[in-house]
Each structure stands twice: as C-alpha cells, then as structure tokens.
Amino acid sequence: MIRAQALTYAFGPGRPALDGVSFELPPGRLCGVVGANGSGKSTLLAVVAGLFTPTAGSLTVRGDVSPGAEAAIRRRVALVLQDPDQQIIGATVEEDLLLGVPRGDEPRREAARRLAARFGLADLGAPVHTLSLGSRRKLCIVTALRDAPEVLLLDEPFAGLDYPAVREMRAILAENRAAGVTQLVAAHDLEAFADLADAWVVLDAGRLARAGSADEVFPALRGHGVRPPGGWLSARGIAPWE
C-alpha cells in the first residue's frame, strides 16, 4: 500500500513542487502519474522513493512512514530515472548490473545475469555507450529489479523509444504487474500504457487534480494539459489535437 496524505514538498521559498497531494494505491497495482511538464511528477516519484523528505504531510509505503522512515522506504522501492545515463555507472553491462553484489555471492550474481538475458541483454561484456537508448533503459530496469523491490517507479519510461522498444517496455510493465510489483509510471503521454494502468493520478502545478480509474480521470485530462489516449478520443469522435 502506498498512501500519500496531504503530501507537500518544497525546494525552497515560493510555491511547493507538491502541494497537499493525497491518494492511495493498493499493492500490486500499476498507477499512471500524469501531468504537463513541471506538474510535479518527478518530485512525487523522488518522495515515494525515499530520496526527498516531505515538507508537510506524510507518505506511507507498506507501513513505513515518511518523514522518519526514508531509509526503510528506500529498501522497498526502486526508482528508474528518465535519462539512463544519469543512473548507469559501470563501463559494461555486467559491471553495471553487478554493482553492489558481493563477488562471493555467486548465486545472486548468476540470478542477475539470467534476468539480464531475459530482458535481451545477453551480451554482458558490451560497453554501455554502445547500447541503444531502449537497451540502456532496460539495463536500469533490470538493475532495479535485481533486488526484487516491492515498488518500482519509472519516470517517462517510453520517452524516445522506437516502436519495438515501446512494445518491450509494455511487456516489462505487464510482467511486473503479474508478479505483484507495485508500479508508478510518470508520463505526460498516456498512449503507450493507457490499457495497462489500474489507476491514475493527475497532477497540475503540484496539486492533485484527479485520481481514480480511466473512466473517472480521462474526461478531465485535457483541462490539465494532458492529451487523452487516441483510442479513447476516437471512440468519442474527438480529434486528437483539437
């Protein structure tokens, strides 16, 4: 369970990046966190990841409450940033994949290698700078999943991906959901995962604008600077860019 109660975070004086946001997400669900650029999506993920401490209000992740339990939350949660180059440290796929795994823990290291192969990263010696954007992003996700987090946070995971990579990313989300991983996916474009999400949170200028199912949220999206998915618009005879 993720529960935000009047969650507020401010980087300094002025308008908070998050302002009184409240929502709940049951375990094992996939939630889309959507909003225009600057709406607070990435900040919300950072707070849920235990990287930022709320300025006011609280965040609960499986019984651990922030402020106060950020270290415990970080052990439950994995965050994958929008730009994989901000997260990849190793020079090769294997080096990055096994960072933090003791050399003597061969069962855990071998399990990580098998996970990488399952996600199409079988060439463990490949230099990371030769990987495509989609492959670098998959490496970050595999590294995050390596330690079996209870919650996975993805910031704009579809940005810049071609069609095959989008399909792979969708398969990753679906597989994680089937495995019971709670997922928050921050995006400003819903097209690629509209049919996969169980719930939606819409942010607008740091405030919670809407929360609920697609039927409850999609009719209001355009008023908050977010384009609803094309299929939803087409079914209602609405032009995508109207």
Side-chain angles (χ1 to χ4, degrees), residues 102-187:
R103 289 189 178 275
D105 191 351
E106 191 54 37
R108 188 175 166 204
R109 293 169 73 87
E110 185 56 34
R113 295 185 187 104
R114 289 196 301 270
L115 183 64
R118 186 159 59 87
F119 282 92
L121 298 170
D123 186 0
L124 298 175
V128 293
H129 71 270
T130 66
L131 300 177
S132 67
L133 173 62
S135 292
R136 296 199 307 277
R137 192 165 287 159
K138 283 199 293 183
L139 176 58
C140 293
I141 292 174
V142 169
T143 303
L145 293 174
R146 183 194 68 190
D147 298 322
E150 297 176 38
V151 179
L152 179 64
L153 312 176
L154 301 171
D155 195 354
E156 298 285 0
F158 296 98
L161 299 187
D162 60 14
Y163 175 61
V166 167
R167 293 190 64 185
E168 290 178 7
M169 190 62 61
R170 282 175 50 84
I172 291 169
L173 294 178
E175 187 169 324
N176 288 343
R177 187 176 62 175
V181 179
T182 303
Q183 299 175 98
L184 269 69
V185 178

Side-chain angles (χ1 to χ4, degrees), residues 11-222:
F11 289 98
R15 181 175 63 82
L18 294 175
D19 190 0
V21 174
S22 298
F23 67 92
E24 292 188 6
L25 182 66
R29 302 292 180 86
L30 194 164
C31 178
V33 180
V34 300
N37 291 336
S39 61
K41 302 187 300 295
S42 295
T43 302
L44 176 61
L45 294 193
V47 175
V48 175
L51 301 180
F52 294 167
T53 300
T55 306
S58 66
L59 172 81
T60 303
V61 180
R62 293 290 185 101
D64 295 319
V65 182
S66 176
E70 289 79 18
I73 289 173
R74 287 194 293 270
R75 288 191 290 270
R76 295 181 180 275
V77 178
L79 170 63
V80 178
L81 302 174
Q82 177 179 354
D83 183 355
D85 295 332
Q86 293 182 343
Q87 202 156 356
I88 293 174
I89 299 174
T92 67
V93 169
E94 184 171 46
E95 184 178 332
D96 193 77
L97 175 68
L98 298 181
L99 282 173
V101 182
R103 289 189 178 275
D105 191 351
E106 191 54 37
R108 188 175 166 204
R109 293 169 73 87
E110 185 56 34
R113 295 185 187 104
R114 289 196 301 270
L115 183 64
R118 186 159 59 87
F119 282 92
L121 298 170
D123 186 0
L124 298 175
V128 293
H129 71 270
T130 66
L131 300 177
S132 67
L133 173 62
S135 292
R136 296 199 307 277
R137 192 165 287 159
K138 283 199 293 183
L139 176 58
C140 293
I141 292 174
V142 169
T143 303
L145 293 174
R146 183 194 68 190
D147 298 322
E150 297 176 38
V151 179
L152 179 64
L153 312 176
L154 301 171
D155 195 354
E156 298 285 0
F158 296 98
L161 299 187
D162 60 14
Y163 175 61
V166 167
R167 293 190 64 185
E168 290 178 7
M169 190 62 61
R170 282 175 50 84
I172 291 169
L173 294 178
E175 187 169 324
N176 288 343
R177 187 176 62 175
V181 179
T182 303
Q183 299 175 98
L184 269 69
V185 178
H188 65 271
D189 187 351
L190 287 61
E191 201 72 43
F193 71 112
D195 59 322
L196 295 176
D198 302 294
W200 298 90
V201 166
V202 183
L203 298 179
D204 191 336
R207 296 184 175 89
L208 181 71
R210 291 284 191 282
S213 67
D215 288 341
E216 294 170 316
V217 167
F218 285 3
L221 286 177
R222 288 153 72 95

